[in-house]
Amino acid sequence: MSATTTAQRSDQPGRIMSGEMAEQPAVLRRILDQGAPRIREVAERIAARNPRFVLLTARGTSDNAALYAKYLLEVLLGKPCGLTSMSTTTAYGAQPDLTDVLVITVSQSGGSPDLVASTEAARAAGAITLAVTNNADSPLAAVSEFHIDVLAGPEKALPATKTYTAELLALYLFVEGLRGGDGAAAKVLPDLAQQILDRQDEVRQLAARYRFAERMVLTSRGYGYPTAKEAALKLMETSYIPALSYSGADLLHGPLAMVDNISPVIAIVTEGKGGQALQPVLERLRGRGADLVVIGSASEVERASAGFALPTDGVAEEVQPILEILPLQMLAYEVTIARGQDPDAPRALAKVTETR
């Protein structure tokens, strides 16, 4: 059964999240067709000012999108890049010199007070400020010098799905614009995304296998690492299963000791240098008898306990995360449904989280 079919069951728990997952191919196509010219214009205007380095500011799911942008900026553009600690400004009142620094704030809603306040402070300190949001009328967009609308449309389910992949694609196109690229590697994404979403039965089988899991560990390297972090967040906020995410390198520096043959380990194996760097980690996990689930190439899936083969042959490594997260979003949804919970409305959460 496809994600689209599931989305049509109006009486089913999780129907909103399911429907928004199903929208993702259309959202990606909309960004490529309608958003790309505006993104390129913003990128060219910022590139002309030659920022010294880049700081990224975000929370939650958008923080994982910002981490993806950090890899893009450092690998493709060669710009020093960091993730900010907003409390240094909002709680401690620090006043760093941000002259000619590009500060990118990523937020689905653009409404959290700490994001707005830190962006205002950055602009006052001399930064070039860019907001990447799903709300052009948000307070964050208003206080930023530049704005990119990710064009995902209203997102009503509490777990962010379509806004995450929209942020990834918008950030990829922005970095491509900064370096004068054409973003052609992204053109295959809408069709491939649809192919993945149409394989929901495969994900449902994985969910049945892991519905009673008491803990999950997720790992990857390179461009896949933000995917591991975002997948862990989705599993925790929907199914309430504790999910720990680690860079493969960090996993070997201690946390590997907790891995056993009971708790599943989900490895996102990106085709390219990140996947190559993860190989020693996969060997160590196999050596420990881990219940290893692989999201990646068919050859890697065949060597694992279970997995989901991605249609990424020939797809540029830097855009693979936009596809990698899709089966993991579906896994979070299906595990939650199998546990008798409603992924549309996780307990104790609000759509717009107002931190300070």
Side-chain angles (χ1 to χ4, degrees), residues 11-237:
D11 60 339
Q12 180 177 333
R15 65 182 178 83
I16 301 175
M17 180 181 177
S18 178
E20 290 172 351
M21 287 191 296
E23 289 179 39
Q24 289 177 102
V27 171
L28 297 175
R29 192 168 284 110
R30 184 185 309 138
I31 296 168
L32 291 170
D33 292 345
Q34 301 175 23
R38 169 60 179 163
I39 294 172
R40 174 173 289 278
E41 176 191 345
V42 170
E44 289 174 348
R45 291 175 64 187
I46 291 175
R49 292 168 64 173
N50 193 26
R52 292 186 291 133
F53 59 89
V54 184
L55 293 174
L56 291 141
T57 304
R59 296 284 192 200
T61 283
S62 294
D63 199 30
N64 299 325
L67 179 58
Y68 167 72
K70 183 177 187 293
Y71 277 92
L72 291 173
L73 288 157
E74 291 182 344
V75 175
L76 300 182
L77 207 62
K79 286 284 185 184
C81 188
L83 300 174
T84 64
S85 299
M86 278 175 279
S87 62
T88 61
T89 299
T90 60
Y92 291 93
Q95 296 179 324
D97 179 4
L98 299 179
T99 304
D100 297 328
V101 173
L102 172 59
V103 174
I104 304 172
T105 307
V106 188
S107 171
Q108 180 266 327
S109 69
S112 186
D114 57 352
L115 294 169
V116 175
S118 63
T119 301
E120 284 184 308
R123 191 169 181 180
I128 306 162
T129 53
L130 167 65
V132 179
T133 80
N134 193 41
N135 183 358
D137 296 323
S138 64
L140 179 60
V143 301
S144 299
E145 184 177 358
F146 298 98
H147 177 252
I148 289 174
D149 188 341
V150 302
L151 301 176
E155 188 173 59
K156 297 180 180 179
L158 287 178
T161 54
K162 65 177 183 175
T163 53
Y164 179 69
T165 49
E167 287 174 350
L168 296 190
L169 180 53
L171 288 163
Y172 167 73
L173 293 174
F174 172 69
V175 175
E176 276 287 278
L178 287 179
R179 69 184 192 130
D182 60 7
K187 292 182 179 179
V188 299
L189 295 175
D191 289 342
L192 293 178
Q194 188 62 61
Q195 291 178 28
I196 292 170
L197 292 171
D198 285 343
R199 295 163 57 193
Q200 191 162 355
D201 282 345
E202 293 179 47
V203 179
R204 190 172 293 118
Q205 291 173 12
L206 276 179
R209 180 185 177 106
Y210 299 117
R211 63 179 293 191
F212 297 115
E214 296 183 359
R215 181 188 68 200
M216 290 188 181
V217 175
L218 294 97
T219 188
S220 189
R221 291 206 66 180
Y223 286 111
Y225 179 42
T227 306
K229 291 177 67 66
E230 173 61 12
L233 176 59
K234 284 291 155 287
L235 284 161
M236 287 189 287
E237 70 182 353

